Amino acid sequence: MVKEFLSHHNVDFEEYNVAEDTQARDEMINKYESMSTPTIVIGEQVLTGFDPEQLTKILNLSE
């Protein structure tokens, strides 16, 4: 859902598979203090879970 949302709004993003990438998993847990996916990092802001309203606000998108 997040990928489709970001693609729909032409927002570039990097995706990490924390099930396979132990370094990405460790960063998600230790740096961003998140134990769930999706964990979305935008600048200094960390969102856990898919919240289209919050993403729209943070990214200053128009619907």
Side-chain angles (χ1 to χ4, degrees), residues 10-43:
N10 298 314
V11 176
D12 292 332
F13 61 91
E14 290 184 50
E15 177 182 13
Y16 300 94
N17 183 336
V18 296
E20 296 177 1
D21 184 340
T22 57
Q23 184 176 354
R25 181 175 54 245
D26 290 346
E27 184 174 20
M28 181 184 79
I29 294 169
N30 298 317
K31 183 176 181 179
Y32 300 115
E33 299 178 353
S34 176
M35 294 290 290
S36 63
T37 59
T39 295
I40 305 162
V41 180
I42 304 168

Side-chain angles (χ1 to χ4, degrees), residues 2 5-6 28 32 34 36-59:
V2 175
F5 177 89
L6 295 174
M28 181 184 79
Y32 300 115
S34 176
S36 63
T37 59
T39 295
I40 305 162
V41 180
I42 304 168
E44 297 296 317
Q45 297 190 42
V46 179
L47 301 175
T48 303
F50 177 56
D51 184 342
E53 186 176 305
Q54 192 69 11
L55 280 172
T56 298
K57 181 180 175 183
I58 291 170
L59 294 170

